[in-house]
Amino acid sequence: MTTSSEVLSVVASRELAGKRTVFAGIGLPTLAASLAHLTVAPDLEIVYESGVCGAHPSHLPETIADAVLITGAEAVLSMPALFGYVLQGGHIDVGFLGAAQIDRWGNLNSSVIGDWHSPKVRLPGPGGAMEVMANSREVFVVMRRHDPRSFVDELDFCTSPGPDRALAACLLPSGLGVTKVITELGILARGGPGEELELVALHPGATVEQAREATGWPLKVAGDVTVIAPPSEAELRLLREDVDPERVYLR
């Protein structure tokens, strides 16, 4: 039986085809980047927030500070070098992030659910996600749940503002912001500033009506919504046996 985590990881990995550098968050983004390196993007350089560039870990890291990331890495940089030269220097093709909430413009919340001063849930926070959003050429987001609590009309708190908010504050964004969102129902996409996320693809069995009901704003739908090919046996084998045999993130 194929799990939701496996489907999300495989579909997200395919979106990295042809990309050269990815700034990967821990969790599903790590799974997707690692699988892409073995399949559609063999030259992919994976960069982590701990300063590790060109990681070649023997097994999946459990945190960004996991020592397994360092062994065999192409380089380990200081924080000023990573953020000042690699990110702000425009060397990241794709920033791969997760979030608790996302809105139609691709702004993200990973800080609190509820009121800031008295939240229902306090989350881990952004880490370097704001810099990743601001400086990557584009950002992909993987969301484990597609429901109105995660896909909201208005964020409870904006942790990582996209380029539309930057433009509203008279700042010139260097990247496109969120361009792809991979969910349990399908893929949402946008071209860049000024555009809303719209439904462009569905998993087999999912419907446009399901996606609309699961989204907290009136979801736009592309004129030619495609059906996503399910994970192949080869992709699943690599994911289960080579990428995450100990089920660190697969569940």
Side-chain angles (χ1 to χ4, degrees):
M1 177 179 173
T2 306
T3 68
S4 174
S5 293
E6 290 171 339
V7 172
L8 289 172
S9 300
V10 168
V11 173
S13 73
R14 295 170 182 166
E15 297 298 321
L16 291 171
K19 304 301 182 183
R20 182 65 182 83
T21 54
V22 58
F23 199 110
I26 288 296
L28 291 179
T30 294
L31 287 176
S34 299
L35 181 60
H37 188 261
L38 296 174
T39 53
V40 298
D43 296 325
L44 188 67
E45 181 178 351
I46 305 174
V47 179
Y48 287 94
E49 190 181 338
S50 51
V52 177
C53 300
H56 302 286
S58 58
H59 55 274
L60 278 182
E62 295 188 22
T63 70
I64 58 169
D66 197 322
V68 72
L69 285 173
I70 297 174
T71 303
E74 303 297 330
V76 180
L77 306 180
S78 66
M79 292 298 97
L82 176 68
F83 285 91
Y85 297 119
V86 177
L87 261 175
Q88 294 178 15
H91 298 294
I92 298 298
D93 289 336
V94 177
F96 222 136
L97 302 172
Q101 291 181 330
I102 186 170
D103 67 14
R104 72 184 74 192
W105 310 108
N107 301 302
L108 306 179
N109 173 24
S110 55
S111 295
V112 298
I113 301 298
D115 182 76
W116 172 262
H117 299 288
S118 182
K120 297 176 183 177
V121 180
R122 189 170 294 282
L123 302 166
M130 188 165 65
E131 289 281 353
V132 174
M133 176 74 83
N135 295 291
S136 301
R137 291 188 179 94
E138 59 182 323
V139 173
F140 295 170
V141 177
V142 177
M143 301 285 284
R144 286 188 180 272
R145 294 188 306 181
H146 191 152
D147 60 36
R149 293 178 298 173
S150 298
F151 288 74
V152 297
D153 189 42
E154 185 174 349
L155 300 176
D156 290 355
F157 181 84
C158 184
T159 305
S160 304
D164 293 278
R165 287 206 177 200
L167 287 168
C170 299
L171 300 172
L172 184 64
S174 59
L176 297 174
V178 173
T179 59
K180 296 280 178 67
V181 184
I182 297 94
T183 86
E184 61 188 353
L185 294 177
I187 298 175
L188 280 62
R190 64 194 286 270
E195 296 186 21
E196 294 183 25
L197 288 165
E198 68 173 6
L199 183 70
V200 297
L202 288 166
H203 294 296
T207 66
V208 169
E209 189 56 38
Q210 276 182 299
R212 281 180 164 151
E213 290 178 357
T215 305
W217 67 83
L219 178 65
K220 291 185 175 182
V221 178
D224 54 345
V225 175
T226 60
V227 177
I228 300 167
S232 67
E233 290 185 10
E235 288 170 322
L236 289 173
R237 180 185 57 77
L238 284 170
L239 191 61
R240 294 167 177 172
E241 298 178 12
D242 291 30
V243 175
D244 193 6
E246 298 180 358
R247 314 293 288 190
V248 176
Y249 300 116
L250 289 176
R251 40 178 156 127

